[in-house]
Amino acid sequence: MKRTLGTCYYPEHWPESEWQRDAARMAGIGLTWVRIGEFAWSRLEPRPGDLRFDWLDRAIGVLGAVGLKVVLGTPTATPPRWMLDRHPDMLAMDAEGRPRGFGSRRHYCFSHDGYRAESARITRLLAERYGANNHVAAWQTDNEYGCHDTVISYSDAARTAFRAWCADRYDSIEALNAAWGNVFWSMDYGSFDEIGLPNLTVTEPNPAHALAFRRFSSDQVARFNAVQVEIIREHSDAPISHNYMGREVAFDHYATGRQMEIATWDSYPLGFLEDRLEDDATHKRRYARQGDPDLQAFHHDLYRAVGRRPGGTQDAPARWWVMEQQPGPVNWAPCNPAPLPGMARLWAWEAFAHGAEAVCYFRWRQVPFAQEQMHAGMLRPDSAPARAYHEAAQVAQELVSLPDVEAGQAPVGLVFDYAAAWAWQVQPQGQGQDYFRLVFETYRALRKLGQSVDILPPDTGDLSGYRLVLAPGAVTLSDPFKAAIAAHDRQVILGPRTNAKTAEMHIPVPLPPAIPGLDVTVARVQSLRADMAVPVAGGGHVTLWLEDLEGTAEVVLATAEDSQPVAMRSGSITYLGGWLDEAALGRFLTDAVQQAGLTPTPMPGGLRRRQAGATEFLINYDPDPQQWNGITVPAAGVVWRARSSHDRG
Ligand code: GAL
């Protein structure tokens, strides 16, 4: 497969006289893709029904004429101002009941029928006009669902839709009352029309109510997306995608992923390090100009899973891209340093090492006005090349000689479950308890041991090929996954908090984890203050979360002071009853990797390894060169080589 590069372009921001030169320069440095259109509604339809598509026709023509392939975005993330006069109640509402006002973007409520119809209307106009256009080679629906915390809305439209959703899911109000446990505090409802949204309650709402609302809100995103996908498909054979975000868990990406051919995500490594990770100041300082060594890789692996369509096999690989790649300083994090020289190249190579088809830099030219004027582009506002321009040109050259990288199947599978993230948020049981954090720390520890990892959806029903499968914090295991672990004879690690609740947030009896063949019972759960970590025999600590484990399974990890079990194993299944710190997790996973017949290969500093089919990549996030196995990888550098057949096992 040929890997390609691209950029994000806004013809409506620039004089038409510039387009030709821009297009020629894009093609000249070896870019293939140009994404356009996703925020252009006010220029496509300045007044209701007053359609001005002529400029977009010309822009697509100019870009296509030099051989660029266009990704055309639907502009529904930015409804124009007149839309509010048509649909005054279309605004999303925050948890305090305040409307999310006009003047930036993403102000719509997913549940508003009128806005969904407007979104269908503009999508249809675009699909009819450009569906057969040879230059439009892919589509993007909307832009970054969930960005700026926009999945959940407490509007009237959401309340009405939630009541209908509940009636559909529970059939009778008695069934809903029983499922949620509404007898507690006299919360029983007499009819679906009495159900409110779980905001503005005196103290916390019923967790079952809150979780149902999270499920509903996620379903509303999938429903909104499906309308656009269906319309585009009627008029175009080009693949459809959406650009997801980093550390965004408010909706089930697998559900939208199944609707489209390609999953893409927007990778801003320096911004994410500053504003989306719990790490301490030392870590953030060390990686301030490179980004966290594992966060991009985690999302690449996650979106590879989102891009895998049902029935997809290794023969029909998952399709995924980076749709927006940070080019230089951004404008939105607590501070916005410049990347080290080489990082705009490294980030692209890392994406290819994880199987990306394409990497597009955001954006072509830094725009001198409005909210993102301080955000770098590939060009400066005066059109002189910025650093990413040169680095992208270098990657384009290198791609010519790239070995044929196929992602392959990794030996380690790690479950990521959006519904589990909601369950932890609804009922954290203590500060700092967060599902994404738990899974990401596990991922990072595996990568520090040199392992390549596949992310698995929670309904994975076939684990063949995986030597080690982990499902930390997966609060409710699906039936297909339970059957898959029962049928699997390789190592499986569950816990903490795995299979701890029913789908309606009840504590199940028999008590968790209730895995056949594993005699372990979680008898009690406690969350820990940051300053009361419990030492583990052999080194390291349990932090944040500790379960009391009972049963006859073999104890494989215990507390140092009173030898209480922390992890227990029967056959190939291990249950871990605590949130381990880095030292304890590293030891525990070293043992697990060995048990699985794999070789723990500790990686120095910020050097990471990704084994992709026949190729091994070494990616150095450190500001200094790293040595490994006789190979020197420069600072912010990447090295690749063929894997030996012995190494490929
Ligand atoms: C993304 C978004 C882009 C742009 C970019 C800036 O989240 O999709 O439109 O705002 O961030 O970094």
Side-chain angles (χ1 to χ4, degrees):
M1 132 111 35
K2 191 172 161 349
R3 315 280 155 176
T4 47
L5 296 176
T7 191
C8 304
Y9 187 52
Y10 299 89
E12 70 275 23
H13 295 178
W14 310 106
E16 194 164 337
S17 53
E18 298 278 317
W19 296 353
Q20 174 63 48
R21 181 166 176 247
D22 283 336
R25 289 174 93 186
M26 290 174 199
I29 58 165
L31 304 188
T32 301
W33 295 98
V34 56
R35 185 196 60 179
I36 62 172
E38 83 276 14
F39 300 130
W41 201 335
S42 73
R43 296 300 167 103
L44 292 171
E45 191 179 17
R47 277 167 298 281
D50 175 8
L51 299 176
R52 307 281 177 90
F53 285 26
D54 49 317
W55 68 265
L56 186 57
D57 297 348
R58 292 195 300 278
I60 292 172
V62 166
L63 296 164
V66 297
L68 291 164
K69 297 182 184 183
V70 171
V71 181
L72 186 56
T74 64
T76 49
T78 48
R81 177 61 185 81
W82 53 255
M83 191 71 75
L84 281 181
D85 299 329
R86 274 190 155 183
H87 305 286
D89 55 351
M90 64 165 280
L91 295 174
M93 294 276 177
D94 73 10
E96 272 70 51
R98 296 171 304 203
R100 308 201 67 183
F102 181 83
S104 66
R105 60 179 172 184
R106 298 216 59 78
H107 40 284
Y108 69 85
C109 174
F110 280 99
S111 295
H112 192 271
D113 291 337
Y115 186 64
R116 195 176 325 98
E118 298 280 3
S119 135
R121 184 178 62 82
I122 192 75
T123 301
R124 188 175 302 285
L125 289 166
L126 286 163
E128 281 171 356
R129 195 172 184 102
Y130 302 110
N133 186 308
N134 287 338
H135 302 313
V136 175
W139 294 83
Q140 174 182 296
T141 59
D142 204 280
N143 187 81
E144 287 192 342
Y145 292 135
C147 183
H148 317 304
D149 197 9
T150 50
V151 168
I152 295 173
S153 164
Y154 297 92
S155 68
D156 290 348
R159 187 184 313 104
T160 306
F162 182 55
R163 288 172 177 167
W165 183 94
C166 287
D168 190 49
R169 179 175 169 96
Y170 298 99
D171 286 333
S172 72
I173 199 65
E174 293 76 22
L176 178 143
N177 284 327
W180 291 5
N182 281 339
V183 58
F184 188 76
W185 287 353
S186 275
M187 296 180 295
D188 285 311
Y189 295 104
S191 80
F192 288 108
D193 291 340
E194 293 175 0
I195 298 172
L197 299 181
N199 63 325
L200 301 174
T201 50
V202 173
T203 182
E204 64 173 307
N206 184 341
H209 182 183
L211 185 62
F213 184 58
R214 300 301 301 270
R215 282 201 182 104
F216 155 81
S217 301
S218 175
D219 286 356
Q220 294 300 89
V221 177
R223 182 163 166 240
F224 184 89
N225 190 63
V227 172
Q228 296 197 6
V229 169
E230 214 169 283
I231 293 168
I232 295 169
R233 265 207 230 303
E234 284 169 25
H235 300 279
S236 172
D237 297 329
I240 308 173
S241 67
H242 176 75
N243 59 331
Y244 302 102
M245 287 175 66
R247 200 167 180 169
E248 167 55 57
V249 299
F251 68 99
D252 182 347
H253 295 42
Y254 302 116
T256 46
R258 279 192 290 271
Q259 299 170 347
M260 298 174 284
E261 286 78 19
I262 304 178
T264 79
W265 82 285
D266 297 343
S267 178
Y268 292 92
L270 306 193
F272 291 160
L273 174 83
E274 282 296 336
D275 88 345
R276 285 187 206 182
L277 286 181
E278 288 84 357
D279 294 277
D280 62 19
T282 311
H283 181 85
K284 292 193 176 182
R285 175 63 195 88
R286 180 159 182 80
Y287 294 108
R289 295 192 186 284
Q290 305 96 289
D292 180 88
D294 298 293
L295 193 70
Q296 286 64 250
F298 178 86
H299 287 92
H300 296 335
D301 291 340
L302 173 63
Y303 290 119
R304 194 170 66 250
V306 172
R308 178 160 285 130
R309 307 194 71 208
T313 64
Q314 296 310 316
D315 301 320
R319 301 192 61 184
W320 72 275
W321 301 11
V322 174
M323 188 63 91
E324 298 181 13
Q325 175 63 67
Q326 177 167 0
V330 298
N331 62 301
W332 44 262
C335 71
N336 298 295
L340 280 189
M343 287 312 295
R345 168 180 176 260
L346 178 149
W347 292 325
W349 273 109
E350 185 176 39
F352 294 132
H354 287 256
E357 289 181 7
V359 174
C360 302
Y361 291 89
F362 181 95
R363 53 186 287 152
W364 174 244
R365 187 190 291 104
Q366 182 172 349
V367 66
F369 47 82
Q371 281 92 331
E372 292 181 355
Q373 54 183 268
M374 302 301 286
H375 191 298
M378 299 179 76
L379 301 183
R380 305 187 321 202
D382 64 359
S383 294
R387 177 143 39 211
Y389 179 91
H390 298 296
E391 294 192 15
Q394 184 185 348
V395 177
Q397 283 299 312
E398 291 168 332
L399 277 170
V400 175
S401 57
L402 170 73
D404 194 16
V405 186
E406 292 304 338
Q409 180 176 358
V412 180
L414 175 63
V415 171
F416 190 80
D417 178 7
Y418 291 90
W422 309 331
W424 281 77
Q425 285 171 356
V426 160
Q427 193 179 67
Q429 181 68 6
Q431 279 174 6
Q433 316 275 353
D434 179 89
Y435 175 72
F436 181 97
R437 179 180 178 184
L438 176 69
V439 178
F440 178 62
E441 287 182 5
T442 307
Y443 178 85
R444 177 187 263 175
L446 289 162
R447 296 240 310 162
K448 285 185 172 172
L449 293 169
Q451 304 303 306
S452 298
V453 178
D454 282 349
I455 301 290
L456 305 176
D459 57 355
T460 301
D462 178 7
L463 298 172
S464 32
Y466 291 108
R467 299 197 198 183
L468 173 62
V469 172
L470 306 96
V475 174
T476 308
L477 291 183
S478 72
D479 289 338
F481 186 75
K482 283 194 264 191
I485 48 181
H488 196 55
D489 57 359
R490 299 306 190 101
Q491 296 297 310
V492 174
I493 298 180
L494 306 173
R497 213 179 183 185
T498 299
N499 216 25
K501 298 281 164 141
T502 67
E504 296 293 349
M505 287 300 277
H506 295 209
I507 299 170
V509 177
L511 291 177
I515 302 296
L518 177 71
D519 185 9
V520 173
T521 297
V522 177
R524 185 176 67 169
V525 167
Q526 48 177 326
S527 57
L528 305 176
R529 285 172 55 97
D531 56 5
M532 64 192 293
V534 175
V536 170
H541 294 80
V542 175
T543 66
L544 292 168
W545 183 276
L546 180 58
E547 298 171 355
D548 291 6
L549 303 184
E550 294 177 353
T552 59
E554 178 198 355
V555 177
V556 292
L557 200 66
T559 56
E561 278 159 21
D562 51 5
S563 300
Q564 290 304 303
V566 174
M568 300 174 79
R569 178 181 298 149
S570 280
S572 59
I573 304 185
T574 304
Y575 187 84
L576 170 63
W579 187 315
L580 302 181
D581 68 4
E582 194 184 334
L585 186 61
R587 274 193 314 111
F588 176 71
L589 290 180
T590 300
D591 171 58
V593 165
Q594 273 162 346
Q595 292 281 332
L598 299 165
T599 310
T601 310
M603 303 304 293
L607 185 71
R608 292 293 182 272
R609 159 171 98 153
R610 161 77 188 161
Q611 297 181 313
T615 312
E616 174 167 83
F617 290 84
L618 294 171
I619 294 156
N620 186 12
Y621 269 85
D622 277 325
D624 316 298
Q626 278 289 2
Q627 300 281 336
W628 183 81
N629 258 0
I631 304 168
T632 303
V633 188
V638 46
V639 165
W640 59 89
R641 59 176 190 171
R643 290 171 69 193
S644 65
S645 50
H646 164 73
D647 175 42
R648 298 180 68 187

